[in-house]
Amino acid sequence: MSTLVDAVRTELKRAADPAKAPEMQRYMKSEMPFRGVAKPERAALAKKLFASYVMSDVDELRATALELWRDAEYREERYVAIDLTGDRRYKQWQTKDLLPMYDEMIVTGAWWDFVDEVAIRRVGPILLMQWDEVVPIIRAWATDEDLWRRRTSVICQVGAKTEVDTELLAETIEANINDKDFFLRKGIGWALRQHSKVDTAWVRTFVSTHPDLSPLSRKEAAKYL
């Protein structure tokens, strides 16, 4: 566990670009500093390390990802923690048993760069695979006090394409339709816009029958209508 964690930190330090780091931090409005490692370089670094340090079971995967996440001093360490959970070698371990870990990343990450990746590429696929067990969790998140759980409930089906469940989509949007937060309003519009690519009629009807949609949500939803 610690071997991979130490290797990630060593390689990120080696790849650091102090000239880029402040601008990356400003762009992300992050209190946590950056090393200044851009996404292509970080992805190449992670690919090499993940091949060298393979997790033996789901418990090791969870422990390693959480060590990287919880003890991170630079934002890239948390990006690598998320990347590790999505490595193709561990696809078979993506079940509802990992949702507590993803929930922690959502709540403590509390910003769109972390939350959107976890919501769409981790929570969303688990929802599709274990629908009956996970739907109650998504419904609970839709009315949770935590903003980022609510955003997750709205956008977790963004990658589902024709498998989107419109009843759940409508329910999560309606639970948050009057919230004035930018990230919720943007998320609602994003979810509707994506679904309009596969079911224009449903989105058009939803928008027309929900006058409480914010102008931002409505504008985003109507992009492809």
Side-chain angles (χ1 to χ4, degrees):
M1 174 171 62
S2 296
T3 305
L4 174 59
V5 172
D6 292 342
V8 167
R9 291 173 179 155
T10 298
E11 290 302 312
L12 285 174
K13 183 177 181 179
R14 183 175 291 121
D17 186 338
K20 291 181 179 178
E23 181 55 35
M24 293 171 73
Q25 186 175 357
R26 278 194 297 272
Y27 171 77
M28 201 52 66
K29 300 179 181 178
S30 172
E31 292 183 7
M32 184 179 289
F34 278 79
R35 279 290 192 189
V37 182
K39 185 175 181 179
E41 289 75 23
R42 190 187 79 236
L45 176 156
K47 182 179 180 181
K48 179 185 70 173
L49 291 178
F50 295 168
S52 299
Y53 302 91
V54 178
M55 304 292 101
S56 60
D57 55 37
V58 67
D59 292 331
E60 186 180 12
L61 172 66
R62 183 190 295 108
T64 304
L66 286 176
E67 183 178 350
L68 270 169
W69 182 269
R70 291 170 178 170
D71 298 339
E73 295 183 9
Y74 296 90
R75 205 168 188 90
E76 290 95 338
E77 293 171 36
R78 287 191 159 183
Y79 292 150
V80 175
I82 296 173
D83 293 341
L84 175 63
T85 66
D87 188 86
R88 58 179 175 77
R89 298 171 184 84
Y90 315 126
K91 185 176 181 180
Q92 73 275 18
W93 298 340
Q94 296 298 318
T95 71
K96 64 182 179 61
D97 294 337
L98 289 182
L99 284 180
M101 176 179 68
Y102 294 138
D103 182 43
E104 177 176 335
M105 290 177 170
I106 289 164
V107 173
T108 61
W111 202 239
W112 63 267
D113 57 333
F114 295 141
V115 172
D116 293 2
E117 179 75 8
V118 173
I120 296 168
R121 299 186 184 276
R122 305 293 183 272
V123 176
I126 294 173
L127 170 65
L128 290 178
M129 288 189 296
Q130 296 182 281
W131 185 264
D132 292 340
E133 297 96 328
V134 179
V135 163
I137 297 171
I138 300 302
R139 286 190 169 126
W141 285 359
T143 58
D144 194 89
E145 291 184 359
D146 186 84
L147 159 68
W148 299 101
R149 282 187 180 130
R150 284 183 279 137
R151 179 173 166 96
T152 296
S153 76
V154 171
I155 68 170
C156 65
Q157 295 192 83
V158 160
K161 299 182 180 180
T162 58
E163 295 182 275
V164 167
D165 184 281
T166 53
E167 181 180 345
L168 181 62
L169 178 60
E171 184 178 338
T172 57
I173 291 174
E174 287 165 355
N176 294 283
I177 201 166
N178 293 313
D179 197 294
K180 299 185 184 303
D181 182 84
F182 169 83
F183 289 102
L184 268 175
R185 290 182 168 187
K186 188 81 169 179
I188 288 170
W190 182 17
L192 290 170
R193 183 180 77 235
Q194 285 298 108
H195 192 52
S196 73
K197 295 177 180 179
V198 297
D199 194 343
T200 302
W202 186 91
V203 174
R204 193 186 303 278
T205 299
F206 186 90
V207 170
S208 67
T209 56
H210 289 77
D212 290 345
L213 276 171
S214 70
L216 175 59
S217 297
R218 193 175 295 274
K219 178 182 177 182
E220 291 289 322
K223 184 172 182 179
Y224 300 125
L225 298 183

